[in-house]
Structure formats: structure tokens, C-alpha cells
Amino acid sequence: CNPGSGCVFTPDPSNYNFVGFFQPVDNLPAFNVGKAGRAYPVKWQTQRSCSGEFFCDTGVVVSQKYQRIDCDSSVPQDALETVDTSGASGLRCGDNNQYTFTWQTNSTFANRCYEFILELSNGTTQRARFKFTR
């Protein structure tokens, strides 16, 4: 790969980077604080390693899941802004080659912490932490 002239071979489809989570979700180590039972849009981008091109292909997402974790009051906490997710559900590609997964949380999450886990086809696992209130 030559950044000036581009790739001179067929690029490996798994040769990309996770750019990070975007608002309303903060990246680690922060805990994103929101009300249990609401839907929150989890947004991120991927970028081709060779060309630097941003792309959105839902096929690179292996899974989106969550697990309960211990709450840690020693790390930064940021309130999740209220975002209208009406009519939106699941995983989709949107503007600016940005992925959006609308995570419908459960009311039983109240007063607990969870880790959202994003597994990608390039073998990486990305995480964001959440603390839910009533």
C-alpha cells in the first residue's frame, strides 16, 4: 500500500480500524449514565487501513451484545442525552458512513451497570460502559 497512490493489490477486507464510539455514547473509561428501559443509539465508524476511507458495511459486525458488570464510581460518568430513536431499531448504516445500533434497554437494568460489546470481523472487540438509573 502506498498512501499517495493507493493499494496496488486487492485489499484484505478485514484490514480496517474501529474509529471509536460517537455521541451520545462516550468511550472508555467513562460510564454513560441513562434511564433503564429507554433506547439509546450506539454510533461508531470504521476506516480502511490502507486508504483511510471511512466505510459502513453491516457485514463486518459479528455481534452486538451486553453483559452486567460492577459499577465503578472512580471513573468519569457522563449523562446520556435524550435522543429520539422513534421508528429506528437494530443495526443500520447512516450519514457519513456511520453505523448506528439502537439498543433497547430493559427496565430491569435500573441501578446496575452493563458493558456493551461490539465484535467486528477483523477480530477486535470494542466496549462501552453504561450505568442505568430508574
Side-chain angles (χ1 to χ4, degrees), residues 32-36 40 78-80 130-134:
N32 297 280
V33 181
K35 290 190 177 188
Y40 296 101
D78 188 34
L80 284 164
F130 295 82
K131 180 176 183 178
F132 294 104
T133 62
R134 291 198 186 276

Side-chain angles (χ1 to χ4, degrees), residues 13 32 39 50 54-55 67 89 91-92 105 116 123:
N32 297 280
C50 176
F54 292 98
F55 73 97
Q67 66 183 11
S89 63
L91 176 65
R92 65 188 188 287
T105 65
F116 177 84

Side-chain angles (χ1 to χ4, degrees), residues 44-132:
W44 68 91
Q45 280 186 312
T46 51
Q47 185 177 33
R48 299 200 189 282
S49 299
C50 176
S51 66
E53 169 191 19
F54 292 98
F55 73 97
C56 191
D57 176 358
T58 58
V60 306
V61 178
V62 174
S63 70
Q64 311 91 207
K65 55 189 176 183
Y66 60 88
Q67 66 183 11
R68 189 172 169 190
I69 60 172
D70 291 333
C71 295
D72 183 352
S73 60
S74 68
V75 298
Q77 297 184 13
D78 188 34
L80 284 164
E81 294 81 13
T82 302
V83 178
D84 180 14
T85 58
S86 58
S89 63
L91 176 65
R92 65 188 188 287
C93 288
D95 297 336
N96 301 321
N97 285 310
Q98 192 173 77
Y99 300 82
T100 300
F101 176 74
T102 302
W103 183 22
Q104 177 61 57
T105 65
N106 193 301
S107 61
T108 62
F109 289 7
N111 302 317
R112 296 181 178 157
C113 292
Y114 285 84
E115 191 167 61
F116 177 84
I117 303 165
L118 175 66
E119 294 178 343
L120 301 174
S121 64
N122 65 358
T124 63
T125 301
Q126 311 302 326
R127 299 168 188 274
R129 294 186 182 139
F130 295 82
K131 180 176 183 178
F132 294 104

Side-chain angles (χ1 to χ4, degrees), residues 1-2 5-10 50:
C1 256
N2 179 333
S5 61
C7 294
V8 292
F9 60 92
T10 304
C50 176

